[in-house]
Amino acid sequence: MTKTNIIRQLSEHFRQQNIRKAVVLTDENVEKYYSDYFSELSEIVSLDKIVLPAGENSKSIETAISVWNYFADKHYDRNVFLLNFGGGMVSDLGGFVASTYKRGIRFANCPTTLLSMIDAAIGGKTGVNLHHLKNVVGTFYFPDIQLPADVSLLKTLPDEELLSGFGEMVKYALIGSEELFRELSKTERFPEIKQEYVDFCIEFKQKVVSKDPEDHGFRHILNFGHTIGHAMESYCAEIGEPIKHGIAVAQGLYYESLLSAQLGHLPQDEWQKISGFLTKHFEIMPITKELKPKLINYMQNDKKNQHTEINFTLLDHIGHATYNHQILDSTLNNL
């Protein structure tokens, strides 16, 4: 999918919906490479732009307040359209701003990273972090139009960002496609990110979300790797050594696959395939005796928990997962 297709879809949508004012929300990294990406839209709408500092620190209630204030100072009404142009931080924050400003304005996500293309930009989850806790404040609010992924935008990404997105892509393979896992396993080095891989992930998530848009049950399947992964991400942020979301998810994929095997859900030979694959592409952090209680404390804040037990999605085999497994702290201490 190319830029031309995205501009065409937005132009048609703006005309059909009589949208006359649009604001592009982006960050400094994206602005450096793609400052004129939407310039053609200025023939149809009056375009404004907000450029945020890049990085997860911008995904905060303070940043949301600054955007709300900007909108209010400009006297924007509910007819303004917000176009989130960036990675997961921009999609999550921008969606949250759109869902709350004047009780809801129209918006769309145009993702620029692999991670946002296959995860944050899809599914209607918005949010900001609170202290070191991920996405604790947020809403369910769906884009006015679902734009396709422009994979040409990935060419400017540093390897660490691609690896982060790759971690999320591996999750989709493990829970939804043994064939994709085999494809990703064929290469000895970092795999080429093919359009068909991205398209599969997007389609898979859209199907899951359509069955459970507000995350009451079935959508929990997408949480595989994220319970431990989010805990590691929060811990690393707390100690001042932040890691990328998808790289944290890869840690979660490793340890939650191990947990699946220890509990008898995942066959040992498949666990060996998964662990070999993940250790080839990611540096897996050891969970020390001292680290375990800190991670468990973070996991106890997970939104999907029930009562005092921590909620996990586990693998039955490569390509299939089941959700809502309540795991005791004592079990996690055996990892």
Side-chain angles (χ1 to χ4, degrees), residues 224-244:
F224 182 62
H226 284 63
T227 303
I228 293 176
H230 273 167
M232 285 193 164
E233 191 174 1
S234 295
Y235 169 75
C236 290
E238 181 185 6
I239 65 173
E241 298 176 5
I243 59 175
K244 297 291 183 182

Side-chain angles (χ1 to χ4, degrees), residues 260-308:
S260 300
Q262 288 180 342
L263 294 174
H265 295 269
L266 181 69
Q268 284 295 323
D269 62 326
E270 297 206 7
W271 154 242
Q272 293 299 326
K273 290 179 183 177
I274 294 168
S275 62
F277 176 84
L278 290 170
T279 53
K280 180 170 69 175
H281 292 290
F282 299 91
E283 183 178 349
I284 302 300
M285 297 167 50
I287 299 182
T288 63
K289 182 179 179 181
E290 294 74 24
L291 180 56
K292 283 179 183 178
K294 296 177 181 178
L295 294 182
I296 289 172
N297 182 60
Y298 277 117
M299 284 186 266
Q300 287 170 342
N301 282 292
D302 191 283
K303 297 180 292 297
K304 299 177 184 63
N305 290 345
Q306 297 178 14
H307 309 298
T308 60

Side-chain angles (χ1 to χ4, degrees), residues 151-167:
V151 294
S152 70
L153 293 168
L154 301 180
K155 67 180 184 293
T156 56
L157 286 186
D159 287 347
E160 186 182 31
E161 283 289 354
L162 282 172
L163 190 63
S164 177
F166 184 61

Side-chain angles (χ1 to χ4, degrees), residues 130-141:
L130 187 65
H131 306 303
H132 300 296
L133 300 175
K134 293 281 295 180
N135 303 318
V136 171
V137 179
T139 61
F140 288 97
Y141 194 68

Side-chain angles (χ1 to χ4, degrees), residues 164-328:
S164 177
F166 184 61
E168 196 75 37
M169 181 173 283
V170 174
K171 178 201 77 175
Y172 285 108
L174 290 176
I175 67 173
S177 176
E178 185 177 6
E179 180 181 354
L180 178 57
F181 184 79
R182 285 198 300 268
E183 284 292 313
L184 298 178
S185 299
K186 285 179 180 178
T187 179
E188 289 300 318
R189 59 182 299 278
F190 188 81
E192 176 188 359
I193 304 301
K194 297 181 180 180
Q195 180 72 53
E196 55 262 38
Y197 299 166
V198 173
D199 290 344
F200 169 80
C201 295
I202 292 172
E203 183 179 357
F204 184 89
K205 182 167 184 177
Q206 287 175 329
K207 286 180 179 178
V208 171
V209 171
S210 69
K211 295 179 180 179
D212 181 18
E214 294 191 355
D215 208 10
H216 295 301
F218 181 63
R219 187 169 172 166
H220 291 187
I221 196 172
L222 298 172
N223 199 45
F224 182 62
H226 284 63
T227 303
I228 293 176
H230 273 167
M232 285 193 164
E233 191 174 1
S234 295
Y235 169 75
C236 290
E238 181 185 6
I239 65 173
E241 298 176 5
I243 59 175
K244 297 291 183 182
H245 172 71
I247 294 175
V249 167
Q251 315 296 314
L253 297 178
Y254 180 90
Y255 286 109
E256 292 177 31
S257 295
L258 173 59
L259 181 63
S260 300
Q262 288 180 342
L263 294 174
H265 295 269
L266 181 69
Q268 284 295 323
D269 62 326
E270 297 206 7
W271 154 242
Q272 293 299 326
K273 290 179 183 177
I274 294 168
S275 62
F277 176 84
L278 290 170
T279 53
K280 180 170 69 175
H281 292 290
F282 299 91
E283 183 178 349
I284 302 300
M285 297 167 50
I287 299 182
T288 63
K289 182 179 179 181
E290 294 74 24
L291 180 56
K292 283 179 183 178
K294 296 177 181 178
L295 294 182
I296 289 172
N297 182 60
Y298 277 117
M299 284 186 266
Q300 287 170 342
N301 282 292
D302 191 283
K303 297 180 292 297
K304 299 177 184 63
N305 290 345
Q306 297 178 14
H307 309 298
T308 60
E309 297 176 338
I310 299 172
N311 191 304
F312 278 84
T313 294
L314 299 176
L315 286 186
D316 289 336
H317 57 80
I318 295 172
H320 187 265
T322 54
Y323 57 93
N324 284 357
H325 295 274
Q326 308 304 314
I327 306 299
L328 297 172

